[in-house]
Amino acid sequence: MSFPTIHNITFDCTGDPYDVGLFWSRVFGRPLADDDKPGDPEAVLRDPDGGPTLLFVRVPEGRSVKNRLHLDLRPHGRTRDEEVERVVSLGARVVADHRRPDGSGWVLMADPESNEFCVERGELG
């Protein structure tokens, strides 16, 4: 028996998909597809290791409720606090801070299109 794999994780965008894709390109340190240009109806961020593609697609309607699905990021080579600072410098914003005094917890963030994601604690804290 064979089972499906996740091919794309799709982000709806009311703005330019290229701009949102560029934000995530900087977050993950991977380039957008060579043929992606500003103003295109979609943009693609591929995983060189074969994981799911992040696909950014222009849609006419804005988001009206909380995301039902989001990414949880675990930093490598930096602390959670350093990663939060880094993605804020790239254009993200903090939505809610769930860090606890014992070092556990996470930070709920939003990308420039208000798609939510979390930054969890990594191996460095």
Side-chain angles (χ1 to χ4, degrees):
M1 181 182 308
S2 63
F3 297 96
T5 59
I6 297 172
H7 181 237
N8 292 325
I9 299 172
T10 303
F11 291 71
D12 290 347
C13 306
T14 56
D16 191 334
Y18 182 85
D19 291 338
V20 181
L22 197 55
F23 166 81
W24 286 101
S25 170
R26 291 174 179 140
V27 168
F28 290 117
R30 312 187 274 214
L32 288 172
D34 290 338
D35 59 348
D36 287 332
K37 305 286 182 261
D40 286 351
E42 63 183 44
V44 175
L45 186 64
R46 288 189 172 75
D47 181 347
D49 297 325
T53 296
L54 299 184
L55 175 62
F56 306 92
V57 179
R58 182 175 293 118
V59 297
E61 66 282 341
R63 188 174 73 113
S64 60
V65 296
K66 181 183 183 298
N67 288 24
R68 298 292 296 180
L69 175 74
H70 67 265
L71 303 178
D72 289 339
L73 307 182
R74 184 172 185 218
H76 296 283
R78 62 181 63 91
T79 67
R80 177 187 49 221
D81 296 347
E82 291 167 338
E83 185 66 11
V84 167
E85 287 178 27
R86 186 180 79 85
V87 295
V88 164
S89 75
L90 297 174
R93 65 182 170 81
V94 174
V95 175
D97 192 333
H98 300 282
R99 290 176 276 198
R100 299 182 191 112
D102 68 357
S104 63
W106 66 95
V107 179
L108 175 62
M109 306 196 72
D111 74 6
E113 272 283 325
S114 296
N115 296 301
E116 294 176 351
F117 64 99
C118 292
V119 177
E120 299 179 344
R121 184 178 179 178
E123 73 274 0
L124 299 180

